[in-house]
Amino acid sequence: MNLASRFSRLLAAFAVAAAVLGLALIPTRTGLGQGVGSKTVTLPADLLKSEPFDKITLIDDTVWLIDPVSPRPLPVYDPVKDKEKKKADAKKAAAKAKAIAEQGNVGVKKEPENAKAKEDPITEDMVITLREGDIRDFKIKRNSLKRVEYFEDLLLAEGDRLIVAKDFAKAFEHYLLVKARNPQWKGLQDRVDKLLFEEGAWALVDQDRDRGVRLLRELSARKPDFPNLADKLALAYGGRINESFEKGMYPYARRILHDLESISPKNNLVRESRNKFEAKTKSLLDEAEKKDGAEKLDKLTEGLRVWPTYDGAAEKYAEVFKSQPTLDVAVTDLPRPAGPFIRNPAGERVSRLLYLPLLADESEDAALGKLASQLVTSMEVSDIGRKIDLKLKTGPAWSDGSRQVAAIDVVRALSDRAQPRSPGYSARWADLLERVEITDEQQVTIRLNRPIEQPRSLFLGPIGPAHSAWDGRVPTPDGKRRAVGDGPFILDSETDTTCVYRAAPPGTATGAPTSPIRRLREIRFASGNAALGALVRGDISLVAHVPPDRVNALKQDPEIKVGRYTRPNLHRIALDGRNPALRNRTLRRGMAYAIDRKGLLEETILKRPIDEANLPSDGPFATDSYANAANVRPYAYDMTLARMLVAVGKTEAKLARIVLTLEYPAIAEAQAAVPKIAESLRQAGLEITTVERTESELEEAIRSGRKFDLVYRVSKCVEPVWDVGPMLCPGFDAPSDADALAAIASPRIMQLLLQLEHAQDQNSAKELVIQIDRESRDELPIIPLWQLQDFYAYRGRLKGPGETADHLYQGIDQWQIEPWFAKDPW
């Protein structure tokens, strides 16, 4: 039997089978095999991963999966109308043919070429392509087609099922695919609206109010009259308003209320919430009427924070503020306690507010008594630098009104610094001091064991009252203890989150110029970003430190000004040589090579390219310092070399593993860099654990001589000869029983520091400090990281801070602040 005969018999068999099934399937081309239909068809498990298809059901209820038909959707087919249309067309064609036969084309109206295109091309037959089988293409009679389920409708149906199952993300993917195929598909927009409603409502139940409100707001913008939408919005907004209100987040709560009012102004919740805000404000204003001074101002301020537009509140606030000008300052750390000694950065920041130093700075004008904010009227050095006479000004007095600042106060303070049990103890001062004595009521003579380069550096610290306890406080008749000082401000109160300082009363002759600002509050924020957020909102007027990546953005705000500290911050990792592993120089070099200084600086901290003021460090000093040795380059990043050196260091130290703790202060730069530094050290072969602490807590601990492994430190360098010791060894001035000098990991650097301590002339001291910088490159007593410009920022209502400053409160006696409170922008 030849191939043609066999093929003819197959076609005959297929035709008989189709007739028996009652189908009108006619193959349009030859092929082997035949399609198979059934009463039920299993759809693909995941429509998103499936090739598009349509599902058709024939009049005998058999189901076929076919390639998508076209056009989509199919035009409606009516056999009766189709038959009538064919008859009409045939009659029309016959009439036209008769006319042509009788008179030719003359007078016969020619139909437009696109006339047929305008008609609906509904035909009795249609072509389908099965998804499976050897013969897949067939013609099918339209009257044998019972139902067509398009791929888009299958996607919508599956999305509906997923919404019921609360799988909203997957449902959205199905709807998105429908939109990609045909944005105008019937039922798509209604499904998306339902999805937004159901997901938003479920988010409210699931306590995710922010997402719920966002979704319902989007639905409101699309279809404001969606059923039950108004009630859901009221529920969503009401929950957020109440939650924010209870947490004291009044500006945020008002913004939510404003959003609700713009969507549904007549909603009962709008009226109820407004009444709640106004009732709270009225209560605070009533309390303010019972208070005086600063307490009254605080209640009025709090009331305006709740509802800024309350009738008459702004006028009362402005009136009271004039009598109590208050400056709120954002910081990330507070001095605990604030006293006549400096043990941490926060204490150094407020020291000049509370106590006058002997010398305001190291200048010749200070030694001659020409500067106002200091106690000394003249300083004379004799006996080849071993004798120093200090003459005190007449006039400065203690804030408790007991007496003027006198020689006895200076003797007490300088003597305490030589006592190991004193909080202000300095090992270098104790080693230098031979004796201190009163030679006159307003004159003190100090004898040193040896001359010292830069003796003025010894007298920059605060002087407390001799009649107070170690913390600068004296008992009061009511059984409490009150801080006493001679600076422009007096400590009023302190808590874990706030320190309040009030200006010295006019006429008390404290010795410091009287400031127009009568009250200063330092408020501790959990992070630098939180502090900047408060500045932008207007909750505070001054922020002590601005992370470098936020400086440019703040400068764009017309309401905010940015100032720069004159000295850069120097960032480094301190090493404790009392850990035997860290005394290994090979290991320290491996750690130095493991840190990508330039990459971290640009990608994590600056978030821009480095420049001449913000760049990786090659040693302990800033690039513009006289102590910065020339031709010394920072360590390059080389992880391969780092791993090799760490492995060699382990072998030399005879340690299979090295476990270290890296402590760091809660400041923005350290919080950003330390996790990546730790990861780099881990990649080099070390086991690193990180611990975050407040900056003052951390610095006070390591300055007292506490042992540590690694500490991320930040400080400024004023005078390299005097500062280099504490910069390389945190406990340089700690009592001898703490064995803090053993923390210097390099014996060579220790030798140079001891030589520097005994340098007797300026040239030799400078040569030694430059030599320390140069040899620190190889000896690595610290791991230098980078130097960064340091900035502060303040709102325009604060008048007086300069574009540059040596310290935060420089010139505060000239500052002024205007009354201001945050208003809603709508």
Side-chain angles (χ1 to χ4, degrees):
M1 183 180 295
N2 59 27
L3 182 62
S5 300
R6 294 175 61 189
F7 180 68
S8 298
R9 291 191 177 189
L10 283 173
L11 283 180
F14 178 81
V16 171
V20 171
L21 291 172
L23 304 181
L25 291 175
I26 304 173
T28 60
R29 62 178 174 82
T30 60
L32 299 177
Q34 62 185 31
V36 179
S38 71
K39 297 293 184 179
T40 59
V41 172
T42 302
L43 298 180
D46 190 345
L47 295 178
L48 297 176
K49 297 180 180 179
S50 169
E51 289 293 330
F53 63 90
D54 290 338
K55 177 182 173 184
I56 63 172
T57 304
L58 303 181
I59 56 177
D60 66 343
D61 291 330
T62 56
V63 180
W64 300 74
L65 299 185
I66 64 174
D67 287 350
V69 300
S70 180
R72 309 179 63 79
L74 291 172
V76 178
Y77 175 73
D78 187 334
V80 176
K81 289 184 179 180
D82 185 55
K83 187 175 181 179
E84 292 176 352
K85 183 176 182 301
K86 287 181 179 180
K87 288 182 179 180
D89 289 344
K91 185 176 181 181
K92 184 176 181 182
K96 181 178 179 181
K98 182 179 179 181
I100 292 174
E102 292 177 352
Q103 56 186 12
N105 289 332
V106 179
V108 178
K109 186 177 180 181
K110 187 177 180 180
E111 294 184 5
E113 293 182 359
N114 62 347
K116 292 186 178 181
K118 293 181 179 179
E119 297 177 357
D120 190 2
I122 302 176
T123 61
E124 185 177 358
D125 299 329
M126 63 177 289
V127 177
I128 63 171
T129 302
L130 304 182
R131 298 193 71 204
E132 298 178 352
D134 294 329
I135 301 177
R136 299 174 55 200
D137 295 340
F138 297 93
K139 280 185 179 179
I140 181 174
K141 298 289 186 180
R142 287 292 301 270
N143 57 11
S144 67
L145 185 62
K146 181 178 182 180
R147 182 170 59 253
V148 179
E149 297 176 66
Y150 300 99
F151 186 62
E152 290 82 354
D153 290 330
L154 295 174
L155 289 169
L156 294 179
E158 180 64 10
D160 295 344
R161 186 191 67 81
L162 291 168
I163 288 178
V164 174
K166 309 303 181 187
D167 192 349
F168 302 108
K170 199 74 170 178
F172 178 74
E173 292 182 37
H174 284 72
Y175 296 159
L176 195 62
L177 182 53
V178 175
K179 182 178 181 180
R181 291 180 59 81
N182 187 343
Q184 305 301 322
W185 193 261
K186 183 179 179 181
L188 174 60
Q189 298 304 320
D190 291 341
R191 291 323 205 293
V192 173
D193 292 344
K194 182 180 180 182
L195 172 63
L196 291 172
F197 180 80
E198 295 294 341
E199 185 175 1
W202 180 253
L204 298 180
V205 174
D206 203 31
Q207 300 302 312
D208 191 354
R209 289 196 180 96
D210 287 342
R211 186 165 64 93
V213 168
R214 177 176 56 80
L215 293 169
L216 294 176
R217 275 186 60 84
E218 184 177 346
L219 175 58
S220 177
R222 290 168 54 94
K223 193 171 184 179
D225 58 347
F226 191 89
N228 299 321
L229 176 60
D231 293 339
K232 288 294 183 181
L233 279 172
L235 176 64
Y237 277 87
R240 293 176 75 199
I241 292 171
N242 290 333
E243 182 179 350
S244 302
F245 188 92
E246 296 302 325
K247 291 181 178 179
M249 300 167 60
Y250 303 116
Y252 183 63
R254 291 197 307 273
R255 182 168 67 82
I256 299 170
L257 175 59
H258 174 72
D259 290 345
L260 176 60
E261 194 170 11
S262 63
I263 296 171
S264 181
K266 296 182 180 180
N267 195 296
N268 290 335
L269 182 63
V270 173
R271 183 177 63 258
E272 294 172 3
S273 297
R274 290 177 65 91
N275 292 341
K276 186 174 183 179
F277 279 99
E278 292 178 352
K280 176 70 173 179
T281 303
K282 183 178 184 305
S283 174
L284 291 168
L285 297 184
D286 290 343
E287 291 182 35
E289 293 300 320
K290 303 174 184 178
K291 306 289 184 179
D292 293 314
E295 292 183 348
K296 184 172 185 176
L297 179 63
D298 289 344
K299 291 296 181 182
L300 289 170
T301 303
E302 189 176 352
L304 287 170
R305 285 188 66 245
V306 177
W307 198 248
T309 57
Y310 193 89
D311 189 28
E315 292 76 10
K316 293 180 181 179
Y317 165 79
E319 181 181 352
V320 176
F321 190 91
K322 289 179 181 179
S323 63
Q324 292 288 330
T326 299
L327 172 62
D328 288 328
V329 184
V331 298
T332 56
D333 202 7
L334 296 171
R336 293 299 305 271
F341 43 77
I342 297 175
R343 299 191 296 184
N344 50 56
E348 185 174 2
R349 183 182 64 242
V350 303
S351 171
R352 293 173 183 268
L353 291 177
L354 306 177
Y355 304 97
L356 295 179
L358 290 170
L359 297 178
D361 56 38
E362 300 174 354
S363 66
E364 186 69 23
D365 286 345
L368 296 175
K370 295 181 179 181
L371 303 184
S373 299
Q374 66 178 42
L375 293 174
V376 168
T377 189
S378 70
M379 172 180 172
E380 297 180 3
V381 181
S382 58
D383 193 12
I384 321 178
R386 298 181 61 178
K387 179 184 177 184
I388 301 174
D389 290 308
L390 301 176
K391 183 173 291 187
L392 306 181
K393 293 179 179 179
T394 301
W398 297 112
S399 59
D400 62 350
S402 58
R403 57 183 176 80
Q404 290 188 351
V405 179
I408 188 174
D409 301 305
V410 178
V411 170
R412 157 79 185 276
L414 298 181
S415 299
D416 280 353
R417 292 178 193 174
Q419 301 299 319
R421 304 184 71 138
S422 169
Y425 175 76
S426 169
R428 287 179 292 175
W429 173 250
D431 184 54
L432 278 172
L433 183 64
E434 178 184 321
R435 68 177 183 271
V436 56
E437 55 191 6
I438 299 174
T439 53
D440 187 84
E441 185 178 355
Q442 295 299 111
Q443 183 168 327
V444 175
T445 297
I446 302 159
R447 286 197 168 272
L448 304 179
N449 290 318
R450 63 177 187 277
I452 181 177
E453 172 64 19
Q454 299 288 358
R456 296 169 190 165
S457 300
L458 301 173
F459 306 113
L460 302 179
I463 299 297
H467 60 283
S468 73
W470 65 272
D471 58 358
R473 288 160 174 76
V474 297
T476 58
D478 59 1
K480 299 180 180 179
R481 301 177 72 246
R482 179 177 59 187
V484 176
D486 58 351
F489 287 83
I490 305 166
L491 177 65
D492 185 56
S493 63
E494 55 185 351
T495 66
D496 290 338
T497 58
T498 306
C499 280
V500 180
Y501 308 95
R502 53 184 174 85
T508 55
T510 59
T514 301
S515 173
I517 294 174
R518 306 311 300 162
R519 189 171 58 143
L520 186 151
R521 286 189 297 198
E522 286 196 340
I523 304 170
R524 183 173 67 84
F525 288 83
S527 67
N529 286 336
L532 290 182
L535 177 71
V536 171
R537 292 192 304 270
D539 293 342
I540 55 97
S541 301
L542 172 67
V543 63
H545 172 67
V546 179
D549 63 316
R550 301 292 300 276
V551 172
N552 289 334
L554 287 181
K555 287 181 177 179
Q556 303 305 313
D557 191 327
E559 297 295 324
I560 295 176
K561 298 181 180 180
V562 178
R564 178 177 57 82
Y565 294 100
T566 53
R567 299 180 182 88
N569 275 338
L570 305 173
H571 296 241
R572 59 201 179 276
I573 295 178
L575 309 167
D576 193 338
R578 289 169 291 188
N579 183 326
L582 294 174
R583 296 194 72 83
N584 184 283
R585 191 177 69 160
T586 304
L587 179 68
R588 300 198 301 272
R589 292 182 65 213
M591 296 170 66
Y593 278 113
I595 301 173
D596 183 5
R597 291 162 180 76
K598 183 174 181 293
L600 283 175
L601 195 55
E602 292 183 334
E603 297 173 11
T604 305
I605 297 178
L606 292 176
K607 298 181 180 177
R608 58 177 175 82
I610 61 174
D611 53 50
E612 61 182 8
N614 302 275
L615 71 167
S617 296
D618 57 33
F621 302 112
T623 54
D624 60 352
S625 171
Y626 71 79
N628 185 49
N631 302 319
V632 177
R633 298 179 63 83
Y635 271 82
Y637 172 61
D638 191 332
M639 183 56 74
T640 301
L641 181 57
R643 290 183 179 127
M644 295 171 59
L645 291 171
V646 169
V648 172
K650 288 180 179 179
T651 302
E652 292 176 351
K654 298 180 180 180
L655 296 170
R657 54 195 290 259
I658 297 178
V659 182
L660 301 172
T661 299
L662 172 55
E663 301 175 73
Y664 64 97
I667 59 175
E669 295 89 334
Q671 290 169 331
V674 164
K676 296 189 177 182
I677 292 175
E679 184 57 32
S680 296
L681 296 177
R682 293 185 190 109
Q683 291 179 18
L686 301 173
E687 298 180 32
I688 303 294
T689 302
T690 59
V691 178
E692 179 178 299
R693 303 187 189 280
T694 62
E695 186 175 24
S696 290
E697 174 194 359
L698 180 57
E699 282 293 323
E700 188 170 330
I702 61 177
R703 291 184 191 185
S704 68
R706 172 174 72 77
K707 290 184 178 181
F708 59 93
D709 292 332
L710 309 172
V711 172
Y712 188 111
R713 301 188 70 202
V714 182
S715 66
K716 294 176 173 62
C717 180
V718 179
E719 171 47 56
V721 171
W722 183 254
D723 293 342
V724 64
M727 291 177 69
L728 299 181
C729 174
F732 198 72
D733 277 321
S736 58
D737 58 2
D739 194 26
L741 292 182
I744 302 176
S746 166
R748 172 58 178 164
I749 296 298
M750 170 71 84
Q751 178 187 15
L752 291 173
L753 286 173
L754 293 177
Q755 291 178 16
L756 179 63
E757 285 297 304
H758 292 82
Q760 298 184 8
D761 63 84
Q762 185 174 4
N763 289 334
S764 61
K766 287 187 176 180
E767 289 176 2
L768 279 169
V769 79
I770 293 173
Q771 185 70 13
I772 289 173
D773 181 76
R774 180 177 293 108
E775 296 199 26
S776 291
R777 171 63 167 75
D778 293 325
E779 292 295 326
L780 288 170
I782 59 171
I783 298 179
L785 295 176
W786 37 70
Q787 72 171 53
L788 297 172
Q789 285 185 319
D790 194 12
F791 297 90
Y792 54 92
Y794 57 98
R795 294 195 68 89
R797 64 177 178 266
L798 176 62
K799 312 295 183 183
E803 294 182 358
T804 60
D806 293 332
H807 53 85
L808 181 63
Y809 297 118
Q810 182 174 336
I812 193 172
D813 56 298
Q814 301 297 321
W815 293 6
Q816 295 183 350
I817 188 166
E818 299 172 353
W820 186 93
F821 58 90
K823 299 177 182 179
D824 296 325
W826 50 85

